[in-house]
Amino acid sequence: MSEIAFVRLTEVSPDEIIAHMSDPRVGEHMPLLKGAWDRQACDTFIAAKEACWHRDGLGHWAILRHGFYVGWGGFQREGDEWDFGLVLKPESFGFGARIAAKALAFARGDDRIPFVTFLLPPSRKHWRWLDRLGAVFVGEVDYDGSTFLKYRLDTM
């Protein structure tokens, strides 16, 4: 088994996703995370992410490490751009670089994705990983009433 695997969110127990998204440490850097995460919120989330798969042929995955759920992330089409997001369980924060590297390798091999964008909240203070990747700061953007810092990384 591969150390890191990407599977559909529907392949993970909703209880795991609810526990993950209910952890206050996860919400610290997620300004769009509002309200309680219950079964209805989780079902709505999974349905929205599955709709992206049906519409675009790509979307967010559940991420497994050694077969265990560690978070979710992937690519979501925003207009003509593919935005990359990654939301890990706190005990898996240290694996973000490896997971992102595998996801970005996927993007580099997919002709639909000439570049990816990253929308990061200003509360994040560590940006060196974006520099190491070669991502370029685009500017501040408003998304659903919250400010994000937007970066772009060419994949081709």
Side-chain angles (χ1 to χ4, degrees):
M1 172 187 314
S2 172
E3 177 191 13
I4 298 167
F6 300 139
V7 301
R8 295 291 273 273
L9 286 161
T10 54
E11 295 180 46
V12 173
S13 165
D15 292 336
E16 285 206 62
I17 298 170
I18 292 167
H20 169 207
M21 296 304 291
S22 295
D23 189 314
R25 296 170 293 177
V26 171
E28 285 179 27
H29 299 294
M30 294 186 71
L32 300 180
L33 183 61
K34 296 176 174 81
W37 262 76
D38 55 15
R39 183 60 187 255
Q40 181 179 352
C42 186
D43 289 347
T44 299
F45 167 77
I46 291 172
K49 298 307 180 189
E50 282 296 302
C52 292
W53 278 96
H54 294 292
R55 181 188 69 219
D56 303 320
L58 186 58
H60 285 101
W61 299 290
I63 301 164
L64 308 180
R65 182 170 180 267
H66 298 298
F68 295 96
Y69 174 78
V70 297
W72 60 270
F75 303 96
Q76 183 165 314
R77 193 161 181 88
E78 300 287 343
D80 292 332
E81 301 177 343
W82 288 95
D83 185 65
F84 176 72
L86 183 60
V87 181
L88 297 177
K89 294 169 69 174
E91 59 271 20
S92 298
F93 285 170
F95 298 104
R98 277 187 248 169
I99 293 166
K102 183 170 180 159
L104 292 171
F106 172 90
R108 286 183 182 97
D110 190 315
D111 291 339
R112 297 174 293 179
I113 309 174
F115 64 91
V116 296
T117 59
F118 305 87
L119 296 178
L120 302 167
S123 62
R124 296 283 307 265
K125 302 297 180 205
H126 303 287
W127 307 106
R128 283 193 316 238
W129 63 276
L130 285 168
D131 293 334
R132 284 193 300 268
L133 286 174
V136 176
F137 179 66
V138 175
E140 290 187 3
V141 297
D142 179 81
Y143 190 87
D144 202 20
S146 293
T147 299
F148 289 86
L149 305 176
K150 184 174 182 175
Y151 289 79
R152 176 185 162 131
L153 174 67
D154 291 329
T155 58
M156 296 198 168

